[in-house]
């Protein structure tokens, strides 16, 4: 039987958060609803973060309210603090499977730029969020950013990434997504980083999150596959970036990741034709936003 790889679609959040133009709630809802019918089980749909920091995600409550929520799909949102948790909790529909993602950085420079605090402070801030999610029965995922390079501090030591992972896992045994936030990772730096992280976190609890600045994202996924990683984040149409990581381009495209995985004989449960349709819609939304 073919081995399964899980795809986390992050385009509606990591992709659209970086678009300069205005994207309507209706367009976001249409894209997410189309993605939800493609066989994807995990879709990150927005963020309950400060609208002053990331204006594109300010409508996440309305996006969640507009979705046709399907059984079997996990709808994920980023939550940095209790204010974000309260925003999410206010619009949550009973019976729907949600996931929240908490996020920290392996480098102090990016932590300051993205969260306005140190790594240690960001972990302290997310503890009550994780406890609230646990009490409400909502799954939690953890992101560690800058796992090979930081736009402010330069190369990041594998041990620093392992320490950041440990800090999150000390809060709760959550699955972790390892973010090459600015896409400077190479197969070599990714392999060294994974050596350090898999020494302390079971590889089954890890996902790779590669941006494609250096055009190395697929090669980095291949290295991660060799090291046993079986979950990857990607963005339909290659949407993406991070507003607080200068030079961060799109996430690796979901359609490219699917092509690679299906070619290698992995099963994803995701229909490549449906994703191609969604990629066309994502491109049209982006063009409309740029034109507007
Ligand atoms: P701060 O300014 O230090 O916090 O921001 P604050 O508590 O002083 O709040 C400032 C203002 O924001 C206040 O409003 C708060 O009420 C409000 P004011 O009193 O000035 O009118 N506020 C909020 N509003 C709505 N929802 C909230 C919220 N919290 C505060 N949850 C804070 C700290 C964490 C809020 C801010 O730094 C922030 O929102 N950062 C998020 C940045 C972000 O979303 N970045 C992109 C996602 S991470 C990423 O892309 C990387 C990833 O893809 C992986 C990878 O690639 O590596 C995940
Ligand atoms: Mg990202």
């Amino acid at each position: 039987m073919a081995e399964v790889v899980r795809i986390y679609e992050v385009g509606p959040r990591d992709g659209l958060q970086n678009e300069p133009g205005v994207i309507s709630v209706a367009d976001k809802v249409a894209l997410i609803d189309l993605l939800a019918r493609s066989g994807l089980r995990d879709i990150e749909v927005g963020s309950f973060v400060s609208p002053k920091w990331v204006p594109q995600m300010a409508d996440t409550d309305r996006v969640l309210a507009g979705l046709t929520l399907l059984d079997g799909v996990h709808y994920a949102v980023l939550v940095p603090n209790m204010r974000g948790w309260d925003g999410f909790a206010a619009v949550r529909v009973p019976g729907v499977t949600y996931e929240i993602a908490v996020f920290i950085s392996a480098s102090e420079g990016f932590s300051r730029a993205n969260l306005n605090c140190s790594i240690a402070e960001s972990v302290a801030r997310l503890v009550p969020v994780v406890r609230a999610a646990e009490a409400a029965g909502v799954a939690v995922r953890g992101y560690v950013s800058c796992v090979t390079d930081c736009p402010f501090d330069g190369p990041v030591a594998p041990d620093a990434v392992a320490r950041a992972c440990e800090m999150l896992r000390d809060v709760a045994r959550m699955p972790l997504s390892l973010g090459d936030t600015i896409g400077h990772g190479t197969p070599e730096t990714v392999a060294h980083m994974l050596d350090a992280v898999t020494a302390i976190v079971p590889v089954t609890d890890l996902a790779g999150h590669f941006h494609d600045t250096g055009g190395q994202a697929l090669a980095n996924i291949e290295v991660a596959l060799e090291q046993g990683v079986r979950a990857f984040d990607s963005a339909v149409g290659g949407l993406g970036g991070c507003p607080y990581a200068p030079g961060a381009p799109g996430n690796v495209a979901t359609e490219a990741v699917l092509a690679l995985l299906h070619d290698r004989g992995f099963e994803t449960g995701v229909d490549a034709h449906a994703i191609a349709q969604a990629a066309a819609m994502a491109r049209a939304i982006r063009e409309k936003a740029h034109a507007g």
Side-chain angles (χ1 to χ4, degrees):
M1 223 172 79
E3 255 196 281
V4 174
V5 171
R6 194 157 173 171
I7 304 281
Y8 283 74
E9 172 58 50
V10 296
R13 193 280 303 170
D14 206 354
L16 298 185
Q17 74 179 7
N18 214 30
E19 285 300 326
V22 177
I23 298 162
S24 69
V25 170
D27 279 349
K28 291 182 180 183
V29 166
L31 178 64
I32 296 164
D33 281 348
L34 188 57
L35 289 164
R37 293 195 299 271
S38 71
L40 282 163
R41 286 171 56 200
D42 300 279
I43 308 177
E44 208 169 69
V45 299
S47 306
F48 285 92
V49 299
S50 165
K52 289 187 183 143
W53 285 67
V54 187
Q56 282 293 13
M57 295 291 111
D59 56 8
T60 295
D61 53 348
R62 282 175 289 144
V63 171
L64 271 180
L67 295 174
T68 302
L69 298 160
L70 299 185
D71 280 349
V73 177
H74 302 162
Y75 295 90
V77 290
L78 261 55
V79 176
N81 54 17
M82 281 310 283
R83 171 84 192 268
W85 170 264
D86 291 342
F88 163 68
V91 293
R92 187 162 70 97
V93 178
V96 173
T97 314
Y98 299 99
E99 182 175 83
I100 63 157
V102 293
F103 49 110
I104 68 167
S105 172
S107 65
E108 292 291 349
F110 185 68
S111 185
R112 290 255 163 234
N114 196 45
L115 290 167
N116 202 24
C117 62
S118 68
I119 299 170
E121 285 163 342
S122 70
V123 174
R125 194 191 265 168
L126 63 82
V127 171
V129 174
V130 173
R131 297 293 168 253
E134 285 169 344
V138 173
V140 179
R141 187 180 203 222
Y143 276 108
V144 176
S145 286
C146 298
V147 296
T148 60
D149 299 86
C150 170
F152 307 101
D153 302 349
V156 177
D159 282 352
V161 183
R163 261 198 314 279
C165 290
E166 208 163 28
M167 288 169 91
L168 282 179
R169 300 273 291 190
D170 282 347
V171 178
R173 196 197 153 150
M174 61 183 87
L176 300 180
S177 175
L178 302 169
D180 177 9
T181 317
I182 54 171
H184 285 193
T186 64
E188 202 185 7
T189 56
V190 168
H192 286 142
M193 178 275 294
L194 284 173
D195 285 342
V197 172
T198 53
I200 58 161
V201 182
V203 73
T204 46
D205 280 358
L206 296 176
H209 176 110
F210 297 105
H211 289 254
D212 203 22
T213 330
Q216 296 282 307
L218 289 176
N220 292 338
I221 287 175
E222 294 213 61
V223 155
L225 282 168
E226 277 166 30
Q227 290 188 236
V229 177
R230 293 292 179 268
F232 296 97
D233 303 352
S234 59
V236 66
L239 292 170
C242 173
Y244 292 101
N251 294 83
V252 65
T254 305
E255 52 275 28
V257 176
L258 284 181
L260 170 79
L261 293 172
H262 294 167
D263 186 57
R264 298 284 189 280
F266 290 104
E267 212 171 88
T268 61
V270 183
D271 174 2
H273 296 292
I275 291 296
Q277 261 186 308
M281 185 188 277
R283 280 190 290 273
I285 289 173
R286 182 159 49 185
E287 273 157 34
K288 194 160 87 179
H290 282 220

